[in-house]
Amino acid sequence: MTLPHPNTDQISLPIVLGVLGDPTRLAIVRYLASKEGVALNCSQFLDLGSKTNLSYHLAKLREAGVTRAEVVGTNRMITLRRADLDARFPGLLDSVIAAAGDDPALPAVGGHDIELPA
């Protein structure tokens, strides 16, 4: 099974900004950025809510072109599409992640192992 993803040139700034405007989705992106290059299983984000709610947020991120989801058996492995986002909107992702920083309004993901980029 292959999930649909927009091509790099189809990624739209208003859609990306709208998707990143949600605290749960921004927390997911911040966590993915802290684990750069590592595909994470959906279960890594279960502390953000129910499976149904999480599935909704991950789908929105994928449809916007912010993440890539690959089906591996019964799992969905999630990665950040940093190269595509940087090619389309240079510096945007780093700026958003830096601005989110340690924002206490964002839900916690994965306990206390988030390492923010310097």
Side-chain angles (χ1 to χ4, degrees), residues 25-69:
R25 293 191 286 261
L26 184 54
I28 291 169
V29 168
R30 184 175 68 172
Y31 188 69
L32 286 168
S34 77
K35 304 295 183 186
E36 198 72 48
V38 177
L40 299 176
N41 185 298
C42 294
S43 65
Q44 296 288 323
F45 306 105
L46 287 177
D47 30 346
L48 292 175
S50 68
K51 289 181 182 180
T52 304
N53 189 36
L54 180 59
S55 184
Y56 170 78
H57 287 300
L58 291 172
K60 289 294 184 186
L61 287 165
R62 177 181 48 79
E63 292 165 358
V66 176
T67 61
R68 180 167 303 284

Side-chain angles (χ1 to χ4, degrees), residues 26-27 30-31 93-107 114-117:
L26 184 54
R30 184 175 68 172
Y31 188 69
L93 192 57
D94 288 333
S95 295
V96 168
I97 292 167
D102 289 325
D103 189 338
L106 294 181
I114 295 179
E115 296 172 16
L116 297 174

Side-chain angles (χ1 to χ4, degrees), residues 82-97:
R82 179 179 289 280
D84 293 334
L85 290 168
D86 285 345
R88 190 86 169 102
F89 313 111
L92 175 69
L93 192 57
D94 288 333
S95 295
V96 168
I97 292 167

